[in-house]
Amino acid sequence: LLRNFFELEREDGHIEVSLTMKTISEKYTKFGEHICVEDVADFISVAMNIRLHAAKNTPQYLTPDWSTYYFTEEENFHLLTGVAKAVKENEQVSGDNYSFYEAENGRMVAILSDGMGSGEKACGDSERVIEKMERLLEAGFRKETAVQMINGALVAAGQEENLSTLDLCDINMYTGAWESRKGGAACSYIKRGRLVDRLSALNFPLGVFGQIETESLHRVLQSGDYVIMLSDGILDALSQGIGEEVLPEIIGRIEYTNPNEIANQILAYCLKQSSGQVRDDMTVLVIGVWEKDMIQD
């Protein structure tokens, strides 16, 4: 049964739909005859001629009680992520931490932070940076404002060992727009076939100065692109071999398509350059981008 139907156009031009519904009888939950919310999404997608899917945190099945279910316009891009890590020698935990999460309005955010030093202290520092950034972004703060608030909290603590880098990547899954903000973080790379775009920002880690300037980097991703984020340990390992300058060429030669395999290949190459020694925590994040229509075909 349907009681209310609302259609809303968001600021970005995409559609949101809310339906207040319930099942006709309790038998649909008592005897396993569930009505899936995604089936409802398919039905209204056909009726409205717009691809919709159940919004984040929407229940999976209809119930006998009146409830409101939310549907959003399906994104154009699908993302897959991969990670490869190595912990500094003689340490039990990595001082690097990372996070992937789906934000509101069809965006995926990746955050990588490298705590100063190594071990549990560095791990705790970088973990707190990521947790605070996630909470502030989910609360609706702009990225630049969130960075300044976290930086101010670290400066107020007054301990230099609290310093942590910040590497934030924000991908719009409708348009492919990519934005990065860095605070003392290593370069990022965008791989498009054999072509590799190196992106860097000259600034300081969080907690050094009362005000921190983070440069906003922008690109538009295409289907088949890969975004690669690194911690400083990767560059340290390369410096023991033929140097960081060759990394774009190495990334361009990689023919794997799975993000995990790409991340492992980069890490393996860097470990080879350092003769297997891990002098600093090493983390590689890879995000692969594909158009959904191409996946379905």
Side-chain angles (χ1 to χ4, degrees):
L1 294 177
L2 174 64
R3 185 163 67 182
N4 291 317
F5 176 100
F6 293 102
E7 178 183 343
L8 173 69
E9 182 175 337
R10 301 191 312 229
E11 289 184 3
D12 59 8
H14 297 290
I15 301 298
E16 278 188 6
V17 172
S18 67
L19 303 178
T20 302
M21 303 177 289
K22 71 173 185 177
T23 57
I24 297 174
S25 168
E26 290 188 9
K27 75 174 185 178
Y28 286 97
T29 55
K30 287 184 177 179
F31 301 104
E33 298 181 36
H34 299 291
I35 297 177
C36 180
V37 172
E38 284 297 344
D39 290 338
V40 177
D42 292 341
F43 177 78
I44 58 177
S45 294
V46 173
M48 299 179 64
N49 197 29
I50 299 174
R51 294 190 306 181
L52 298 168
H53 63 113
K56 188 178 178 181
N57 300 325
T58 292
Q60 190 174 0
Y61 295 101
L62 269 65
T63 69
D65 302 316
W66 288 110
S67 299
T68 301
Y69 302 84
Y70 297 91
F71 304 86
T72 58
E73 191 173 344
E74 192 170 290
E75 298 87 357
N76 297 320
F77 291 95
H78 175 72
L79 308 182
L80 289 178
T81 61
V83 181
K85 300 187 68 174
V87 178
K88 182 180 178 180
E89 294 173 356
N90 302 318
E91 294 288 357
Q92 298 299 313
V93 297
S94 173
D96 299 343
N97 273 292
Y98 67 91
S99 168
F100 298 110
Y101 77 96
E102 287 192 27
E104 296 296 325
N105 298 339
R107 291 165 33 243
M108 199 282 282
V109 176
I111 308 172
L112 174 61
S113 181
D114 180 357
M116 175 170 282
S118 60
E120 293 186 5
K121 176 65 169 61
C123 178
D125 289 344
S126 61
E127 189 173 43
R128 280 188 290 273
V129 166
I130 289 177
E131 288 175 351
K132 288 177 182 177
M133 179 59 69
E134 283 187 353
R135 287 201 301 267
L136 290 171
L137 293 179
E138 289 174 353
F141 287 92
R142 294 172 57 250
K143 289 185 279 293
E144 178 61 26
T145 303
V147 170
Q148 295 298 342
M149 291 174 69
I150 296 171
N151 181 68
L154 294 179
V155 171
Q159 299 180 17
E160 290 186 359
E161 56 267 26
N162 284 341
L163 305 183
S164 296
T165 67
L166 174 69
D167 197 353
L168 186 148
C169 160
D170 187 333
I171 299 175
N172 186 316
M173 293 187 287
Y174 288 109
T175 65
W178 172 89
E179 180 185 1
S180 174
R181 285 185 179 271
K182 294 179 178 290
C187 302
S188 295
Y189 299 85
I190 296 177
K191 172 178 167 60
R192 181 171 297 167
R194 288 186 171 270
L195 300 177
V196 178
D197 189 4
R198 179 179 180 272
L199 302 113
S200 62
L202 299 175
N203 48 32
F204 293 94
L206 304 188
V208 178
F209 299 112
Q211 284 287 114
I212 183 171
E213 293 185 5
T214 59
E215 183 180 353
S216 182
L217 306 172
H218 297 267
R219 294 291 187 275
V220 177
L221 302 176
Q222 297 179 7
S223 184
D225 285 356
Y226 296 89
V227 176
I228 299 163
M229 303 165 66
L230 312 169
S231 67
D232 288 338
I234 293 292
L235 306 185
D236 179 70
L238 287 173
S239 70
Q240 301 172 57
I242 55 180
E244 176 191 350
E245 294 75 17
V246 353
L247 188 55
E249 181 181 348
I250 299 303
I251 292 173
R253 290 179 184 173
I254 295 175
E255 295 184 354
Y256 291 115
T257 58
N258 182 287
N260 262 322
E261 292 178 332
I262 294 174
N264 284 317
Q265 184 82 354
I266 294 171
L267 180 62
Y269 177 81
C270 295
L271 286 171
K272 183 178 179 181
Q273 293 301 306
S274 63
S275 302
Q277 293 183 324
V278 185
R279 301 197 308 182
D280 191 9
D281 300 311
M282 304 165 69
T283 302
V284 184
L285 308 184
V286 179
I287 306 166
V289 181
W290 291 274
E291 283 185 303
K292 287 192 173 180
D293 287 340
M294 292 183 65
I295 295 174
Q296 293 169 359
D297 292 343

